[in-house]
């Protein structure tokens, strides 16, 4: 035990570990805040769909030789989110179908483009990294960290400032717009910050596992807590703790970061589920 | 001037007319019941009255200081709300959002106002309880308190008793009646329940593809359509 603590404190001296922890905590916090709303609005799969879109955009950015992939990935994902979330009920192709369509289309085309045009010798390695996050969280540069801090701050501020409105729109969109609050505007806002979080979270857990980060903390919190505020707070706490533990475990045990975090999220969900049943 | 005026309104979806030639007005203190079969355009009319859907032709006007955003709406339960983790207080407070302007949070006065509406609906003791754990009747009271937070003038109730048992239904109706009689709140209720309509309402609007009747309850009972419907459902006044 003492040995492990000594090893851990040694690791914590490394800047790359510190960066990973800062970014991990921020991403976990942001994704869990929005997660509650997305789960309740029945948009659980949105994270998955959007991350596939982000994967496609990343493939295109890589081929185009952009040094900073964010320039392309972020706007494309934001637009996809707006199309999916904000058009909601009005679209001809209903929610889940359009989401599935968009997500597999970008995944397929992205992989195709990577194979046809990629200059890298190790295509499947690159793809695996993008899909599962692998080690990219441990190779963050200082500017990556600052970008992440800035984006997270925006997300958190927006969430706190519009908390009451986000609650109202999530609970009852019709009533909210009938009484003169522009529900569509807030749907748009939710869509945009969801996209930002997805793009940020790709660094941490990779495309395929983002949904877990968005939905598990929210679902765990909802088993036990009964008011919106307590669910949001609990979900944020669960998410941050799981990500912290996940990153540390993955460093100690040399497991992939993303899947370790997801495994811990699942375990915590199981605990909350049992507590919820008993309570 | 009346609080709400519909002038030859035509409603529909994507060019298809659902109902047309709707002309009626609602005065302060009225209790209007809108009845009609499924597909007669009741829900479309609700959306139009709330300003969520523009009529295909004709006009809907509000007057006497009533803004279209001041109609307190009691919607039917949605699927989302069935397992929504929210306390009663959180939900009632959300009715005050339209009075917040640009402010991000509720003021102390607003919170007190919400408490008063909960008292009025007799749900103060439930304030901290989780909405999804309440009975159907209690849930309706919560949503009614929220609607009262949004308005003191007009309530628009969409099938307020659907799914409630007879005892709770009667309580709900007398609660609505009290708001109408004692507090002078205008009530527009959409309902399948013709019996309740002729029992409680002051005016009746019976719609189909064209309006079949608009007028006072007393006149409605005398018409053939009114007779047919009240007999059909076995109701006597």
């Amino acid at each position: 035990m003492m040995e492990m603590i000594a090893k851990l404190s040694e690791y914590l001296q490394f800047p790359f570990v510190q960066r990973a922890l800062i970014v991990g905590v921020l991403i976990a916090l942001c994704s869990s805040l929005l997660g509650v709303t997305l789960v309740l609005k029945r948009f659980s799969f949105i994270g998955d769909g959007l991350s596939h879109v982000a994967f496609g955009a990343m493939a295109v950015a890589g081929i185009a030789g952009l040094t900073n992939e964010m320039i392309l990935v972020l706007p494309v994902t934001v637009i996809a989110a707006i199309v999916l979330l904000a058009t909601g009920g009005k679209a001809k192709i209903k929610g889940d179908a359009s989401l599935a369509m968009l997500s597999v289309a970008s995944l397929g085309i992205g992989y195709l483009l990577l194979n046809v045009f990629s200059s890298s010798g190790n295509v499947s390695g690159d793809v695996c990294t993008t899909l599962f996050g692998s080690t990219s969280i441990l190779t963050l540069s200082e500017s990556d960290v600052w970008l992440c801090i800035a984006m997270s701050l925006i997300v958190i501020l927006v969430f706190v400032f519009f908390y009451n409105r986000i609650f109202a729109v999530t609970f009852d969109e019709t009533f909210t717009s009938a009484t003169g609050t522009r529900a569509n505007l807030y749907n748009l806002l939710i869509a945009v910050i969801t996209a930002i979080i997805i793009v940020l979270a790709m660094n941490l857990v990779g495309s395929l596992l983002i949904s877990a980060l968005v939905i598990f903390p929210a679902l765990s919190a909802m088993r036990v807590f009964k008011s919106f505020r307590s669910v949001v707070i609990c979900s944020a706490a669960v998410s941050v703790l799981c990500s912290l533990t996940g990153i540390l475990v993955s460093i100690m045990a040399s497991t992939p970061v993303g899947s370790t975090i997801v495994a811990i999220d699942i375990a915590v969900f199981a605990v909350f589920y049992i507590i919820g049943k008993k309570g | 001037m009346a609080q709400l005026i519909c002038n030859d309104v035509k409603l529909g979806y994507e060019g298809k007319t659902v109902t047309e030639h709707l002309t009626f007005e609602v005065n302060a203190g009225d209790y209007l019941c809108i009845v009609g079969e499924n597909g007669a355009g009741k829900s479309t009319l609700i959306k139009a009255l709330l300003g969520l859907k523009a009529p295909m032709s004709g006009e809907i006007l509000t007057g006497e200081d009533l803004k279209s955003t001041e109609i307190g709406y009691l919607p039917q339960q949605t699927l989302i709300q069935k397992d929504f983790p929210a306390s009663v207080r959180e939900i009632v407070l959300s009715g005050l959002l339209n009075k917040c302007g640009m402010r991000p949070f509720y003021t102390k006065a607003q919170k007190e106002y919400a408490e008063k509406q909960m008292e009025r609906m007799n749900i103060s003791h439930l304030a901290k309880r989780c909405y999804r754990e309440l009975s159907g009747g209690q849930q309706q009271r919560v949503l009614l308190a929220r609607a009262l937070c949004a308005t003191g003038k007009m309530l628009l109730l969409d099938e307020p008793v659907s799914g409630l048992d007879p005892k709770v239904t009667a309580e709900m109706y007398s609660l609505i009646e009290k708001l109408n009689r004692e507090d002078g709140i205008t009530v527009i209720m959409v309902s399948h329940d013709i019996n309740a309509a002729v029992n409680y309402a002051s005016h009746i609007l019976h719609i189909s593809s064209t309006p079949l009747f608009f007028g006072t309850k007393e006149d409605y009972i005398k018409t053939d359509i009114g007779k047919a419907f009240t007999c059909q459902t076995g109701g006597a006044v």
Side-chain angles (χ1 to χ4, degrees):
Chain A
M1 191 64 200
M2 284 309 288
E3 203 179 311
M4 269 178 75
I5 293 170
K7 197 174 163 195
L8 198 62
S9 57
E10 189 194 324
Y11 276 128
L12 287 175
Q13 307 293 319
F14 294 118
F16 78 90
V17 175
Q18 292 166 359
R19 282 181 205 146
L21 287 175
I22 295 171
V23 170
V25 165
L26 287 175
I27 290 172
L29 185 61
C30 292
S31 57
S32 63
L33 289 182
L34 255 282
V36 178
T37 297
L38 292 178
V39 166
L40 289 170
K41 268 178 158 295
R42 303 290 188 271
F43 284 149
S44 296
F45 249 106
I46 216 91
D48 210 47
L50 286 180
S51 62
H52 292 180
V53 172
F55 170 82
M58 213 165 238
V60 173
I63 291 160
L66 295 176
T67 41
N68 191 350
E69 289 163 339
M70 285 291 177
I71 300 171
L72 187 73
V73 178
L74 197 58
V76 169
T77 316
V78 167
I79 291 168
I82 292 171
V83 170
L84 286 173
L85 283 175
T87 54
K90 282 179 225 145
K92 282 262 177 191
I93 301 177
K94 287 294 171 206
D96 61 336
S98 56
L99 180 58
M101 220 173 66
L102 200 62
S103 103
V104 286
S106 0
L107 196 60
I109 299 292
Y111 187 54
L112 187 67
L113 291 176
L114 272 180
N115 269 284
V116 175
F117 294 106
S118 180
S119 49
S120 147
N122 182 13
V123 173
S124 52
D126 287 352
V127 171
C128 197
T129 305
T130 327
L131 289 182
F132 292 103
S134 67
T135 54
S136 59
I137 181 89
L138 299 175
T139 56
L140 294 166
S141 69
E142 204 162 313
S143 64
D144 286 339
V145 177
W146 283 114
L147 180 74
C148 181
I149 292 176
M151 290 296 203
S152 312
L153 267 182
I154 294 175
V155 170
I156 294 166
L157 284 179
V158 166
F159 187 84
V160 171
F161 196 79
F162 292 109
Y163 170 81
N164 287 319
R165 288 164 172 81
I166 290 175
F167 168 77
V169 171
T170 311
F171 182 72
D172 193 341
E173 213 175 299
T174 320
F175 177 87
T176 312
S177 35
T179 49
T181 302
R182 293 172 61 192
N184 285 334
L185 192 73
Y186 295 104
N187 276 337
L188 200 71
L189 188 77
I190 293 171
V192 172
I193 39 185
T194 306
I196 295 178
I197 292 167
I198 299 292
V199 173
L200 286 179
M202 276 185 78
N203 280 327
L204 184 61
V205 292
S207 284
L208 283 185
L209 300 176
I210 287 176
S211 291
L213 215 56
V214 174
I215 61 167
F216 268 116
L219 286 173
S220 303
M222 280 164 64
R223 289 309 109 198
V224 175
F225 288 92
K226 287 170 182 178
S227 75
F228 191 72
R229 185 182 301 247
S230 56
V231 166
V232 168
I233 292 171
C234 169
S235 151
V238 164
S239 183
V240 167
L241 284 177
C242 287
S243 294
L244 268 182
T245 328
I247 294 171
L248 291 176
V249 168
S250 82
I251 292 171
M252 306 279 287
S254 320
T255 50
V257 182
S259 32
T260 312
I261 295 176
V262 174
I264 293 173
D265 269 326
I266 296 169
V268 170
F269 174 77
V271 172
F272 274 70
Y273 185 82
I274 294 165
I275 297 173
K277 279 271 153 156
K278 281 183 179 165
Chain B
M1 193 182 164
Q3 267 184 332
L4 188 72
I5 299 171
C6 276
N7 212 341
D8 197 19
V9 168
K10 179 163 149 185
L11 299 167
Y13 286 99
E14 291 165 12
K16 271 178 247 154
T17 310
V18 177
T19 179
E20 55 188 337
H21 305 307
L22 288 173
T23 301
F24 64 92
E25 53 178 59
V26 182
N27 290 297
D30 279 359
Y31 190 145
L32 172 69
C33 205
I34 302 174
V35 294
E37 288 118 84
N38 288 333
K42 291 186 306 242
S43 353
T44 320
L45 178 58
I46 290 179
K47 282 193 188 140
L49 293 179
L50 291 171
L52 300 176
K53 185 172 173 49
M56 291 165 78
S57 68
E59 52 183 3
I60 297 173
L61 303 167
T62 55
E64 273 189 35
D65 303 333
L66 183 83
K67 294 186 211 119
S68 69
T69 54
E70 281 180 320
I71 301 176
Y73 176 45
L74 183 79
Q76 294 192 46
Q77 294 263 10
T78 63
L79 197 65
I80 290 183
Q81 290 159 2
K82 289 222 170 87
D83 61 352
F84 200 100
S87 70
V88 167
R89 184 177 278 124
E90 284 177 318
I91 292 171
V92 174
L93 263 174
S94 75
L96 287 162
L97 204 58
N98 62 348
K99 299 197 175 75
C100 278
M102 289 304 288
R103 254 181 297 114
F105 305 111
Y106 302 114
T107 61
K108 204 168 171 229
Q110 285 178 321
K111 284 180 183 163
E112 277 164 16
Y113 186 79
E115 296 295 327
K116 277 206 195 91
Q117 303 315 311
M118 285 193 273
E119 265 168 47
R120 203 167 165 190
M121 289 296 107
N122 218 346
I123 50 169
S124 294
H125 59 291
L126 303 171
K128 283 186 183 159
R129 287 279 300 278
C130 179
Y131 177 78
R132 62 184 170 197
E133 289 169 355
L134 303 179
S135 71
Q138 289 170 329
Q139 289 183 338
Q140 287 298 63
R141 280 165 189 259
V142 173
L143 296 186
L144 206 50
R146 178 184 64 164
L148 287 170
C149 280
T151 181
K153 293 170 189 160
M154 181 186 278
L155 288 172
L156 178 55
L157 316 170
D158 188 358
E159 304 275 0
V161 297
S162 72
L164 301 181
D165 66 48
K167 181 167 168 278
V168 181
T169 297
E171 282 170 15
M172 194 70 196
Y173 278 135
S174 66
L175 194 65
I176 297 167
E177 190 183 25
K178 194 170 149 235
L179 288 171
N180 178 247
R181 297 265 163 85
E182 292 174 20
D183 303 323
I185 296 174
T186 315
V187 173
I188 301 178
M189 180 168 78
V190 171
S191 177
H192 273 107
D193 188 350
I194 298 261
N195 282 320
V198 292
N199 262 327
Y200 295 101
S202 65
H203 292 74
I204 303 236
L205 173 66
H206 191 136
I207 59 172
S208 180
S209 52
T210 51
L212 298 173
F213 178 85
F214 172 70
T216 61
K217 168 180 77 180
E218 288 74 18
D219 291 339
Y220 179 72
I221 300 165
K222 289 178 205 147
T223 60
D224 289 342
I225 173 97
K227 273 180 199 152
F229 264 83
T230 43
C231 289
Q232 200 180 4
T233 47
V237 187

